[in-house]
Amino acid sequence: MRSNLGNLSRRLSTVTSRQTVRNGWTCQSCRVSQARRKLFSTTTALREAKGDAIDKPYYVTTPIFYVNASPHVGHLYSMLIADILKRWQVLKGRPAILSTGTDEHGMKVQQAAQAQDIQPKALCDTNSETFRDLAKKANIDYDFFIRTTDAEHKEAVEYFWGRLKESGYIYETTHEGWYCVSDETYYPETMIKKRVSPLTGKSFMASVETGNKVEWQSEQNYHFRLTAFKDRLLKLYADNPEFVVPKTRLAEVVNWVTNNLEDLSISRPRSRLEWGIPVPDDPEQVIYVWVDALINYITVAGYPMWPPGSEHTKGWPADVHVVGKDIVRFHSIYWPALLMALDLPLPKTVLSHGHWLMSKKKMSKSVGNVVNPFFAIDRWGVDTIRYFLIYHGSITEDSDYSNEFIVINYKKGLQHSIGNLLNRITQPKQWSVRDAVVEICGKPSDELPDLVISQKQMIEELVSKVEKHMDALNPTLALKAIIDVAFASNVFMSNAKPWDVKNESETTALNQIVFHTSEALRVVGILLQPFIPEKSKRLLDVLGVSPDRRTFEFAKLHADNDYGTSFVPIVKGAQGSLFPPLPVED
Ligand code: MSP
């Protein structure tokens, strides 16, 4: 066995050095870290050869955010969906990693720095920190915060470029077309229209998709032979209908690849764009910001320190790239094609979400209609905003943001359903949740009134409903299913009227009602953890659910006979409740 491992180790070293020769190009910093990489590769391969199980963690990503401006609620939404997907996996007991970060190169950032008369790096340092602060404030449970100005990322991009060049899919040509700085992309002629500025009355050319201004540009640059991947891309979508979720977006992608695919300009002349990663062997060209940015997802997963077959040890391929609908094309066409060119594994799914609108227009810095998420969280509370964005937002549709909607959602979905139910079940002296759990838990009865039977069924069905929606990557439907149970449990309590049970001979009947209400709350509390982590913790504390009994396997009837005595003092009155009145309502 020892000699086998020795052979493998020797073979791996040979493969690594042979690969370097074959690729013919290794960047300076990659050469420096080669020894480190070889050590990592060899150790991983040896562990695999010995049969050590190396589980791939579930890997979720957010887009990396442009640092030309401060974050708004739309950015928070991408982060939040990714956070919930990660927390859901953790709840189910699977190791999961979430990566987020900032996209710092490109024209957009260069121009923003020029406008403020500061160095681009200084602008990036300040604004990147604001995105990190937002992630912390919103309770985003991220594991990596990558910046595209990080040295490791630069190494990865340079290495990737070298391999791409080696692959033969890059060529130099003169490019002419409509470039949009705001969207950092060229648009084909068919995607351009004339617009008139409502402010100045002047006309300008703009993207049909985003309405943002485009400019005609003619320049010498490198192109990626994207058209060579047309058939493979179409096959990818046909074989993996879940590669883009939802289906409507997949249809758009298929349509684009079928009808609009063109080779991709992947560098800009340095005379136009200085702020970026220079093309390794051509300092007069700078790598296109989207190529640079997309590579972040593999930088985080350790690229290029991967021996073939071991990509998964640090998460790659990603299980889900969460993106807004405006950037689906980059993730589901350009990104897989670039990976295909290098024979690297492809991400499993690109989950696209709808946009947040203000006054019927996409919330965006350029329109000037953005909501500052820091203020929103300070005003309404972190879980109120998390709840609102997921419940009222949508994967498939755009959604309207307004303070009025936040108040309505809070009152209806949180105060009147869960908060009310918790008060109703834990506050009366007439019964005790603990006594009900002791008497009923673990002793299912065949003789239950119809009312209790339906309540029981509803709790039993909840987990599979939520699981189905989360598997389909639709946290909104999952949250709605959970809240529906809280609503229905209030109705159950009103109909079952435990407060009317006065006779001691009916204690078991009383405890059945109390037990089946508190079970609903306990299961709801467990399942709500990925969505509103602070409030669900408080809910489970009030119910006295032990912290080691809050995982997925406990989210079913009769799974916990230990709870019922609150860990925290129960304070009566509105202010003491789980969802107290909101501070100020518009
Ligand atoms: N830097 C690129 C992403 C590169 S990923 C390799 C980018 N950045 S962004 O800051 O403009 O957008 C980041 C995310 O915020 C995207 O998912 C985008 O869809 C999302 N949102 C920006 N405005 C939005 C709304 N109004 N509503 C919902 N999300 C939107 O694109």
Side-chain angles (χ1 to χ4, degrees), residues 163 167 229 232 311 336-346:
R163 299 285 323 271
S167 73
F229 293 89
R232 281 175 71 186
E311 301 84 359
L338 286 164
L339 291 166
M340 282 171 184
L342 265 60
D343 278 332
L344 293 174
L346 309 183

Side-chain angles (χ1 to χ4, degrees), residues 63-66 72 74-75 77-78 103 290 293-294 296-297 323-327 331 353-356 362-364:
I64 48 171
F65 303 95
Y66 286 130
H72 61 68
H75 302 134
Y77 189 51
S78 293
D103 189 354
W290 264 103
L294 288 162
N296 96 82
Y297 300 129
V323 302
K325 66 177 188 181
D326 51 324
I327 56 172
H331 285 81
H353 61 72
H355 281 156
W356 283 94
K362 180 191 172 197
M363 201 184 280
S364 100

Side-chain angles (χ1 to χ4, degrees), residues 105-346:
H105 294 128
M107 211 63 186
K108 212 170 150 108
V109 175
Q110 179 173 301
Q111 288 186 354
Q114 270 160 5
Q116 294 178 40
D117 204 12
I118 54 171
Q119 288 300 315
K121 184 61 167 57
L123 177 80
C124 294
D125 289 346
T126 309
N127 286 357
S128 176
E129 213 40 50
T130 317
F131 278 95
R132 201 192 290 263
D133 289 346
L134 176 64
K136 288 185 195 141
K137 194 169 179 91
N139 242 335
I140 305 298
D141 189 16
Y142 65 89
D143 302 274
F144 297 97
F145 190 98
I146 185 172
R147 299 180 55 184
T148 50
T149 49
D150 289 343
E152 274 175 19
H153 177 68
K154 190 170 171 253
E155 272 187 18
V157 173
E158 288 172 342
Y159 186 81
F160 194 98
W161 183 281
R163 299 285 323 271
L164 205 55
K165 193 160 184 220
E166 173 69 20
S167 73
Y169 288 111
I170 292 186
Y171 61 94
E172 262 185 286
T173 188
T174 303
H175 187 89
E176 288 196 327
W178 295 103
Y179 195 77
C180 175
V181 173
S182 194
D183 303 336
E184 290 284 17
T185 191
Y186 273 106
Y187 284 105
E189 195 72 42
T190 50
M191 305 286 290
I192 300 301
K193 66 171 181 192
K194 197 180 243 179
R195 276 191 65 193
V196 177
S197 158
L199 291 179
T200 62
K202 287 190 182 150
S203 65
F204 62 97
M205 298 308 284
S207 147
V208 174
E209 258 180 3
T210 62
N212 292 328
K213 184 177 170 197
V214 296
E215 282 165 19
W216 184 257
Q217 305 217 321
S218 171
E219 61 194 28
Q220 180 75 14
N221 53 25
Y222 289 96
H223 273 57
F224 171 56
R225 220 176 279 284
L226 183 58
T227 47
F229 293 89
K230 182 170 181 173
D231 292 345
R232 281 175 71 186
L233 285 170
L234 290 174
K235 183 167 177 348
L236 168 73
Y237 311 136
D239 292 349
N240 304 278
E242 74 299 340
F243 185 72
V244 179
V245 173
K247 282 186 173 45
T248 43
R249 299 275 166 253
L250 177 66
E252 288 167 8
V253 168
V254 171
N255 182 39
W256 181 285
V257 172
T258 310
N259 300 312
N260 290 321
L261 206 63
E262 289 177 356
D263 285 353
L264 182 66
S265 155
I266 53 168
S267 71
R268 310 287 325 270
R270 208 176 130 85
S271 53
R272 280 229 166 87
L273 173 70
E274 281 191 10
W275 183 237
I277 302 178
V279 168
D281 45 9
D282 184 352
E284 287 315 304
Q285 292 278 321
V286 170
I287 297 176
Y288 174 39
V289 63
W290 264 103
V291 172
D292 165 353
L294 288 162
I295 293 171
N296 96 82
Y297 300 129
I298 52 176
T299 306
V300 167
Y303 180 84
M305 293 197 266
W306 293 341
S310 296
E311 301 84 359
H312 60 281
T313 50
K314 286 177 135 188
W316 194 256
D319 291 84
V320 189
H321 289 317
V322 175
V323 302
K325 66 177 188 181
D326 51 324
I327 56 172
V328 171
R329 189 168 71 241
F330 302 90
H331 285 81
S332 52
I333 303 175
Y334 304 167
W335 183 222
L338 286 164
L339 291 166
M340 282 171 184
L342 265 60
D343 278 332
L344 293 174
L346 309 183

Side-chain angles (χ1 to χ4, degrees), residues 551-563:
T551 47
F552 187 71
E553 67 268 31
F554 289 97
K556 57 177 188 248
L557 263 176
H558 294 280
D560 182 3
N561 58 6
D562 191 41
Y563 79 105

